[in-house]
Amino acid sequence: QVQLVESGGGLVQAGDSLRLSCAASGRSVGTYNMGWFRQAPGKEREFVAAINWIASTYYADSVKDRFTISRDNSQSTMYLQMNSLKPEDTAVYYCAADRQGITATIPPTFWGQGTQVTVSS
């Protein structure tokens, strides 16, 4: 079992930056693939970014060049640095983990409770 706890959400203005954190606990969490998803009001949950256990990264086209995913296995923590935020980035952001690769189409096994990010125009 893996437990995930997100933090760092908040209310910011367009163009601002925000960093989300995901603290992971459980056996061998450093070997899990991890990622971020988001769900805006009235919309389906969507893939944002993923990082595998050897730190290869993948991004949705909508956030590429603005968001950076990273992980610190010594702290069992994953991060999402979000720059140049737009109102359309407003959503609840979820941390996820899986033994298998994180993809946009297969729901990961483990999820955090989510953290709200609101970007005002």
Side-chain angles (χ1 to χ4, degrees):
Q1 282 283 12
V2 173
Q3 292 78 44
L4 304 169
V5 179
E6 303 96 335
S7 61
L11 172 63
V12 297
Q13 293 187 330
D16 285 352
S17 298
L18 205 58
R19 189 177 81 158
L20 305 183
S21 300
C22 173
S25 59
R27 186 177 180 183
S28 303
V29 291
T31 64
Y32 278 70
N33 300 299
M34 300 184 73
W36 292 95
F37 290 74
R38 66 187 183 186
Q39 187 167 18
K43 295 188 176 181
E44 293 189 353
R45 183 174 56 201
E46 64 174 359
F47 169 80
V48 175
I51 184 166
N52 66 17
W53 68 280
I54 57 171
S56 296
T57 58
Y58 311 88
Y59 297 93
D61 287 342
S62 59
V63 306
K64 201 174 296 182
D65 299 327
R66 298 190 298 122
F67 291 9
T68 302
I69 190 172
S70 61
R71 66 191 294 168
D72 182 347
N73 285 341
S74 69
Q75 300 293 322
S76 299
T77 302
M78 178 180 64
Y79 303 97
L80 185 68
Q81 177 67 43
M82 305 185 293
N83 298 329
S84 302
L85 282 161
K86 304 175 181 179
E88 52 263 44
D89 294 318
T90 295
V92 177
Y93 284 70
Y94 296 92
C95 168
D98 203 301
R99 286 283 194 191
Q100 306 299 317
I102 301 292
T103 72
T105 54
I106 301 174
T109 301
F110 301 104
W111 293 89
Q113 82 288 352
T115 186
Q116 177 71 46
V117 173
T118 303
V119 184
S120 64
S121 57

